[in-house]
Each structure stands twice: as C-alpha cells, then as structure tokens.
Amino acid sequence: MTDFDRRSLLTALAAASAFGLLPTGVTPAAAQTAAGAGALKLQDPKPFSFDILKEQARSLAAQPYAAPMLPANDIVKQLNYEEWGRVTFNTDAAVFAEGPGEFPVTFFHLGMFFAKSVDMLVVKDGTSREIVYDQAMFNIPADSPARKLPKGIGFAGFRVQEPRNGKVDWHKNDWAAFLGASYFRAIGELYQYGQSARGIAIDTAVADRPEEFPDFTKFYIETPTGDGDTLTVYALLDGPSVTGAYKFLMTRAKGVTIEIDHTLHLRKDVARLGIAPLTTMYWYSETAKPTAIDWRPEVHDSDGLSLWTGTGERLWRALNNPDRTTASAFSDVSPKGFGTMQRDRVFDHYVDGVYYDRRPSVWVEPRGDWGHGAVQLIEIPTDDEIHDNVVAMWVPAEPAKAGNAYSFTYKQYWLAAEPFPPALAKVVATRLGRGGQPGQPRPPGVRKFMIEFLGGPLASLPFGVSPDHVVTASRGTIGPYKITEAVADGVPGHWMTSFDLAVDGTDPVELRLYLKSGDQTLSETWLFQYHPF
C-alpha cells in the first residue's frame, strides 16, 4: 500500500479529478491529425479461449518471474502528469467505433506513472489478434516527448466508452477503465468514478514484507455478437508470487456489474492473499474531524464496510483514519457479500465539485462456496485525499503456499447502495464527542458515541414505543448515560442512540451495537474500532 509507483499513480488520477474522464481532444493546431486512424493494425491471428489462457497462466507459474519491460523508459519518464494529459486518444481509432456492439474501446498512452506496456488483443471466432500501437491513434502535440517514442511501443491500459447510441456523447464519456498493475474502476449509477478494485491483493499491510502489485500483462477484448449491454474482456496476470487468468463480463445498465471468473497459481508463499479486493479512500467525516484540517465538512470515497455473513447477519463497520495501520478480520464461512459503501449522499456534507456525494458503492457477491476465511479490512493513516488508504478483501483461512491453485467467481455491483439491502434500519451516521451531560463537568477519559439509524422496522414502531439498544465493548466501561430517541426532523424511522465509554490506555476498543424491541431485531449491527485519544 505504500510503494512509490502506486502513490504517484493515485496523485496523477486525483489531479485529473475523475479517473478515465480525461480530455479526449486537443486543439487542432497543437494536435497530430489521425487521418485514417480508424483502420486498426493487427498482428496475425492465434488460437484463443479462456481454457487456453488458464493453461498459459498455469505454465507461467512454473517459470521464474520476469519483470515486465519498461520500453524507452528514458523518454516515457518525460511524460509526467502534465505531458501525459496532453497526449489523448483519437476516438476515430477506437475499437468497435462503428460496431459491432454498443461500446467502443479506447486506450491510455504510456507515461511516467504508467510505464509498463500492456498487450491489447481483439478476440473473434476463437482467435486473437494483437493491436499494434500507432502514433496515429493518439493526438500528440508537436512538442510532446511522445513523438520520440519508437514504433509499436504499446499501450498502458484501456477504457470502455458509453454506448454509441446512448444519452451521452461516447467520445467524451466512459464507464469502465483498466490502468496500472491490476487496478480497474467502473462508473456507478450516479455517473461518477470513485474507488477502485483489483484483480488480486498480495501481502497488503504485512509487517515483514512489502506489498506486491502483480500486473495484468495482456488484455483480450471479445468482439460482441450483438448490440446488447455487455462486453467481455479476458486478462493474464503475472507477478513475483502469482499468475492468473481472468474473465470479466461487464454490463452497463442502471450502474455497472462485472462478473469475474479467475484462476490463480502461486509461485511463492503469500502471507495475506486478498481475493476480490476493493481499494478506497477515507480521510475524515462527521465521525471525528480534527480542528481546521480542511475547509470541507467531509472527504471520503466510502464511509463504511457493509457485510452480509454466511449466517445472514447484517453488519456495518464505520471506517476510520487511524494513527497507525490496522487490520480487522471478520471471520466467516461462505459469506453472502461485502462491500465498501458511500452512504452519505448529501452534497452539502462535502461542498466539493469533485462530487464525493456521487461516488459509487461497490458490493461483492461471491458465487459458489468460498469456504472458511475472513473479510479483512486494512486501514492506513492518511493526511490527504490523494491516497487510497482502505482495502477490503476476502482472505481464505488456509495458508497460501507456493504451488497452490485457486478458482473464484464473484459479481461486483457498482451502484449507489447495496444491491440486496436488509429489511432492517441502516446506520447513516457515527459521531464522537465528549462524554457526560451538558451543563456538568465532563469526566476525563470518557467518550460519547452517537449513532443514527434510519428506516426498516423503525419506521413502523407504534407511537410511544422506543427501541432498546444493545451495546458491548471489548474493554472499558459503558454508561452511565445511554439514550435512544427519535430525531426531531419528522422523518419516520429516524432514530439516534448514544452511550458513553470510559476507557484507559490507547489500545483500540471494538464496539458493537444494534437496536431491538422485545425479541425483534430492528437494525443492522453497528461496529466500530475506537482509538482512544
């Protein structure tokens, strides 16, 4: 999570304000004309299928790892963020610009932050043909260092444009992008990029070894057979400790769904093998904001981790920006789903033109039996919004040893909220303050927690009936002040509950709370890791 290349990549993307939405054209006077760019140059065809790709990944794992080439790196390094942004794709050269299918595919150019060349191939009728890089596919200013690059240098990644016959101009809008290591993103139903997903996470936040970032080295884009709302892409993964073959069935509808099928082969032992990893940013929110840290009320791509356990329990873990790296494990068997969510959708809570209120929530739905393991949440300190500092992933219980092979399938939902919401009240805010009661001396070492719930059975409670809250702490003393009351805004089912916690020392405290009425559970379970200060 702390390697220089990834941090630089995130800095570049933040400066663009939205991943994949960089300008698609420059002024004619400054740009190279891509006359005839629509005619792609392709290598000779070779047999291709997903089974062939799986066998290639298996065979590759038996060979020593060879780091990807950095072609013409002395020139590529001159394409810093500013220079890289000036080199834009000419959409006349898009794959499927005239069909078949609804979604043209465009490419990212190499640059300082994306220096590894990735092979791009088109699949049709059981064969694949590599797309040859040509400068005519890009708008390149006359004074750009990119003009010095050799022929056929390759691409950095790709993105999928909006439908050719859709409601927005496909030349300027895209809905999925793959760029850097095994990172990819999709746009949510609110038309805004935000958090990322990865093909795999290797040794994230492991104390005695650096995190590893395997690369997607080849992408195979399948030629559509109709005008539906899906596009299929295959990818080969390679890294020092792992190889893999991936299939992505991507659907553009209300939001975006991506059905992922992959096999993995380990070259080396892995301490923390992260399946279906999600990577997001949480700087601060209404929970606890240091004085004058920034002028905006909140800054985050996600505000919580939602869990649906194998036993059916619904959990909400509010995110933290801790003072040290922490790892939380939620043990489970055959989980029904998990995701990093952005629940706060009020613009005035952010007051920012990059639209944090529209950032997508991402839900992972496992397919098949994932067995024993844990959803692990990694939280890393950050002092700025340019760093993705939160990772959520499934980690199998069995040790990940060299020679092991894995197969996982799952479906990602890039939406505004959970695709399968519980029939319970949900947590909508977590706030911390001084313990005790107003007008009286505040006891030292006591923290007050206020949690807001909304909807579900709370909306139909009989008049005069108040829910009870059940709260536990891993250490410390709860009380004596505990209150549950309706929020005075006239919104049915909007309640808040508060309690005090007295605790000594600085070790984290695990908190757990839910609302009930008699034997009936009314809310999902709120979880929080409190770091005394």
Side-chain angles (χ1 to χ4, degrees):
M1 289 294 298
T2 57
D3 75 308
F4 174 78
D5 289 341
R6 190 183 68 89
R7 291 295 194 186
S8 300
L9 179 153
L10 291 168
T11 302
L13 296 183
S17 80
F19 183 101
L21 294 176
L22 300 173
T24 54
V26 295
T27 59
Q32 162 183 317
T33 301
L40 293 175
K41 298 178 182 179
L42 303 174
Q43 299 279 20
D44 292 337
K46 295 181 180 179
F48 177 81
S49 68
F50 192 30
D51 286 338
I52 290 174
L53 188 65
K54 289 179 181 179
E55 177 57 27
Q56 185 177 356
R58 188 194 66 79
S59 299
L60 193 61
Q63 304 170 22
Y65 173 67
M69 297 291 293
L70 301 176
N73 197 41
D74 56 335
I75 301 175
V76 170
K77 286 191 297 186
Q78 298 175 38
L79 292 170
N80 57 22
Y81 171 71
E82 181 180 357
E83 289 292 343
W84 180 72
R86 295 172 65 210
V87 178
T88 60
F89 192 80
N90 188 306
T91 53
D92 290 342
V95 181
F96 314 137
E98 304 297 331
E102 285 293 312
F103 307 116
V105 175
T106 62
F107 301 113
F108 290 103
H109 201 278
L110 294 176
M112 175 187 290
F113 302 113
F114 316 103
K116 299 173 183 177
S117 179
V118 178
D119 294 338
M120 300 290 174
L121 302 97
V122 177
V123 174
K124 185 177 181 180
D125 299 330
T127 63
S128 67
R129 302 184 69 183
E130 184 176 348
I131 301 170
V132 179
Y133 166 89
D134 189 333
Q135 283 194 357
M137 302 173 74
F138 291 88
N139 301 309
I140 304 178
D143 59 348
S144 171
R147 285 185 171 272
K148 304 174 186 177
L149 291 170
K151 293 183 179 180
I153 191 171
F155 307 96
F158 74 96
R159 53 188 173 186
V160 185
Q161 305 298 126
E162 291 280 20
R164 290 182 295 110
N165 300 310
K167 63 180 182 180
V168 297
D169 183 356
W170 73 262
H171 300 82
K172 299 178 181 179
N173 296 276
D174 55 292
W175 58 271
F178 289 70
L179 179 65
S182 68
Y183 283 86
F184 59 99
R185 291 187 178 188
I187 202 167
E189 62 186 282
L190 302 178
Y191 287 83
Q192 182 68 40
Y193 280 100
Q195 61 178 296
S196 303
R198 283 190 273 171
I200 195 70
I202 302 290
D203 290 339
T204 305
V206 174
D208 60 347
R209 61 179 73 188
E211 184 169 10
E212 182 180 313
F213 296 87
D215 296 292
F216 285 138
T217 59
K218 296 178 183 289
F219 288 105
Y220 299 81
I221 305 164
E222 191 168 272
T223 301
T225 56
D227 293 329
D229 56 2
T230 63
L231 183 72
T232 301
V233 174
Y234 305 88
L236 179 67
L237 180 86
D238 194 17
S241 299
V242 64
T243 67
Y246 287 70
K247 178 181 179 181
F248 301 90
L249 178 61
M250 302 187 289
T251 301
R252 181 74 170 110
K254 179 182 179 182
V256 174
T257 61
I258 306 179
E259 297 178 50
I260 301 172
D261 182 354
H262 67 81
T263 62
L264 299 168
H265 300 273
L266 297 187
R267 283 191 174 105
K268 299 179 180 180
D269 294 352
V270 173
R272 178 175 280 140
L273 179 67
I275 305 299
L278 304 174
T279 303
T280 189
M281 181 274 293
Y282 176 86
W283 187 9
Y284 62 87
S285 69
E286 75 279 336
T287 299
K289 177 185 175 182
T291 302
I293 189 173
D294 190 86
W295 62 269
R296 292 162 293 182
E298 303 183 40
V299 178
H300 51 80
D301 284 335
S302 307
D303 49 13
L305 170 66
S306 183
L307 300 148
W308 189 5
T309 71
T311 60
E313 187 177 14
R314 303 303 293 255
L315 307 173
W316 174 259
R317 166 56 155 80
L319 293 181
N320 261 322
N321 180 6
D323 59 4
R324 56 193 180 276
T325 298
T326 63
S328 302
F330 307 91
S331 297
D332 204 355
V333 181
S334 302
K336 291 180 171 63
F338 68 91
T340 38
M341 303 286 118
Q342 183 77 317
R343 283 189 173 173
D344 191 334
R345 296 293 180 190
V346 180
F347 175 82
D348 289 349
H349 291 184
Y350 306 93
V351 198
D352 198 319
V354 300
Y355 299 111
Y356 285 113
D357 57 302
R358 302 180 189 176
R359 300 297 168 105
S361 296
V362 184
W363 181 262
V364 174
E365 178 192 12
R367 299 289 179 86
D369 184 2
W370 281 22
H372 293 258
V375 174
Q376 295 197 9
L377 177 67
I378 310 298
E379 295 168 300
I380 299 172
T382 187
D383 60 359
D384 207 333
E385 64 201 282
I386 65 172
H387 305 307
D388 278 2
N389 63 316
V390 176
V391 179
M393 56 194 167
W394 174 256
V395 179
E398 291 297 319
K401 298 294 185 180
N404 284 7
Y406 303 84
S407 292
F408 286 92
T409 59
Y410 56 97
K411 186 174 182 178
Q412 290 178 345
Y413 297 80
W414 300 71
L415 299 169
E418 289 98 327
F420 311 106
L424 296 168
K426 65 180 182 179
V427 178
V428 294
T430 299
R431 295 184 172 88
L432 275 63
R434 293 187 301 168
Q437 291 184 308
Q440 299 195 18
R442 299 303 176 101
V446 177
R447 186 65 57 194
K448 186 178 296 295
F449 294 82
M450 180 75 74
I451 303 97
E452 287 185 38
F453 293 88
L454 179 65
L458 290 177
S460 57
L461 280 178
F463 180 79
V465 175
S466 296
D468 298 319
H469 71 245
V470 180
V471 57
T472 58
S474 60
R475 67 186 192 88
T477 302
I478 293 175
Y481 308 110
K482 296 188 290 183
I483 301 172
T484 300
E485 59 186 351
V487 178
D489 59 359
V491 176
H494 192 185
W495 289 75
M496 62 183 180
T497 185
S498 67
F499 64 91
D500 283 1
L501 174 71
V503 63
D504 296 324
T506 59
D507 290 341
V509 182
E510 299 293 343
L511 296 167
R512 183 182 181 95
L513 180 148
Y514 68 94
L515 301 183
K516 70 170 189 172
S517 179
D519 294 331
Q520 181 187 10
T521 298
L522 303 177
S523 73
E524 64 185 0
T525 300
W526 169 85
L527 306 175
F528 190 71
Q529 186 179 79
Y530 171 54
H531 295 259
F533 57 93

